[in-house]
Amino acid sequence: MKTSVVDVRQLNFGFDKGRLLFSNVDFSLFRGETVGLVGANGAGKSTLLKLLVGLHEKSSGKIQVCGVEQSKKTLSAIRRKVGFAFQDTDSQLFMTTVYEDVAFGPRNMGVSEETVHEMTQAALGAVKAEHLSQRPPYKLSGGEKRLVALATVLAMEPEIIVLDEPTTGLDPRARRNLIELLEGLSQTKLIATHDMDMALEICDRIIVLNQGEIVESGLPLEIFKNRKLMEKCHLEQPLCMQACPVCKSQEA
């Protein structure tokens, strides 16, 4: 039986002037699965991720993470369970060296410096970035920054990883390295992305967000074969499917 680690129920959220960006949003994430969150620009993907970790405050509804209901009192506990990799890596990397950036989270947990070092080395090893340890973040390439930003998340040993457009701006080789890294992580993952080919390749399930509503959720191939759904939500099929005659003949 599947165990849910995130449950969102009747979530409502509005920025200002009474306008709701999300209305009665419901979804769950199950332990160990990789879920792609897709939608056109402005659909609310980044905002939904930030709501999960309390960077925005919901208007109403319930967000529960690993059995803990989100509130002001429980935010620190929830942020220990959910690691958030921002779309803009420069928002996540601000220390003088890569090592200090990755060590920042563990240090704030109040553990010994020996434990901080072990957690930092383990996180850098997980993304194969040990050689970048003493480099200043501003001198890293886009792909290297993505790896280090992910290492800052992994250093906190979260149960759930939330990623906002992780392949944006990467060259093909860096993109492939990141995809393979994500495939190898055992944590539950929620990935907001426009990279439909990546989503088709590594996601167990796709959630489609359109104008503040979840309009569909299902297996990646079934979602992407539904041309009417994709057009309605202003999305493109994965390039690999656009070039596949067999896939085209099976479209809904």
Side-chain angles (χ1 to χ4, degrees):
M1 183 177 179
K2 291 183 178 179
T3 302
S4 65
V5 291
V6 173
D7 289 294
V8 175
R9 296 291 176 263
Q10 298 293 296
L11 175 66
N12 293 288
F13 173 73
F15 278 114
D16 57 13
K17 298 179 182 178
R19 181 178 67 90
L20 280 178
L21 179 59
F22 292 114
S23 178
N24 297 322
V25 168
D26 289 88
F27 71 93
S28 295
L29 302 179
F30 299 99
R31 188 175 304 281
E33 74 172 343
T34 299
V35 177
L37 179 65
V38 304
N41 285 337
K45 301 186 300 297
S46 296
T47 301
L48 183 56
L49 300 187
K50 290 176 181 177
L51 282 163
L52 289 181
V53 293
L55 294 177
H56 292 316
E57 186 175 351
K58 65 185 183 295
S59 301
S60 61
K62 185 173 85 169
I63 298 174
Q64 188 168 291
V65 178
C66 299
V68 178
E69 186 165 348
Q70 189 193 89
S71 68
K72 290 182 179 179
K73 291 182 178 180
T74 62
L75 271 183
S76 61
I78 284 175
R79 288 171 180 168
R80 284 287 308 275
K81 296 177 182 297
V82 184
F84 189 0
F86 290 83
Q87 179 177 353
D88 178 13
T89 54
D90 290 332
S91 298
Q92 201 148 355
L93 306 176
F94 51 86
M95 302 295 281
T96 55
T97 67
V98 164
Y99 181 92
E100 292 301 315
D101 259 318
V102 179
F104 181 83
R107 274 204 184 105
N108 279 278
M109 293 166 58
V111 298
S112 69
E113 194 59 29
E114 181 181 357
T115 301
V116 168
H117 180 72
E118 290 172 357
M119 295 172 76
T120 301
Q121 289 298 103
L124 287 169
V127 301
K128 300 179 181 178
E130 303 101 315
H131 62 292
L132 302 175
S133 177
Q134 297 307 312
R135 293 268 299 277
Y138 71 88
K139 288 191 174 181
L140 302 179
S141 69
E144 289 170 337
K145 284 183 179 180
R146 291 283 176 200
L147 294 179
V148 173
L150 184 55
T152 68
V153 171
L154 294 176
M156 298 295 290
E157 300 178 347
E159 295 183 42
I160 303 157
I161 300 175
V162 173
L163 304 105
D164 194 358
E165 301 288 358
T167 60
T168 295
L170 299 186
D171 63 37
R173 185 172 183 177
R175 173 183 174 276
R176 175 50 48 191
N177 288 341
L178 182 64
I179 287 173
E180 291 177 356
L181 172 61
L182 293 177
E183 282 187 298
L185 296 177
S186 61
Q187 289 93 339
T188 304
K189 296 177 285 294
L190 177 62
I191 307 173
T193 186
H194 286 299
D195 189 340
M196 302 301 178
D197 286 87
M198 177 195 68
L200 177 62
E201 181 176 348
I202 72 170
C203 292
D204 303 302
R205 182 161 55 98
I206 299 294
I207 294 173
V208 184
L209 193 62
N210 187 47
Q211 297 182 348
E213 296 182 358
I214 292 176
V215 295
E216 194 62 78
S217 175
L219 297 174
L221 187 58
E222 295 304 313
I223 293 291
F224 293 138
K225 277 166 50 177
N226 189 337
R227 182 177 289 274
K228 290 181 180 178
L229 173 67
M230 301 297 283
E231 290 177 350
K232 172 187 173 183
C233 298
H234 306 288
L235 297 171
E236 289 281 337
Q237 291 179 312
L239 293 175
C240 65
M241 290 182 66
Q242 295 181 36
C244 174
V246 175
C247 294
K248 286 184 177 181
S249 67
Q250 297 177 349
E251 287 173 0

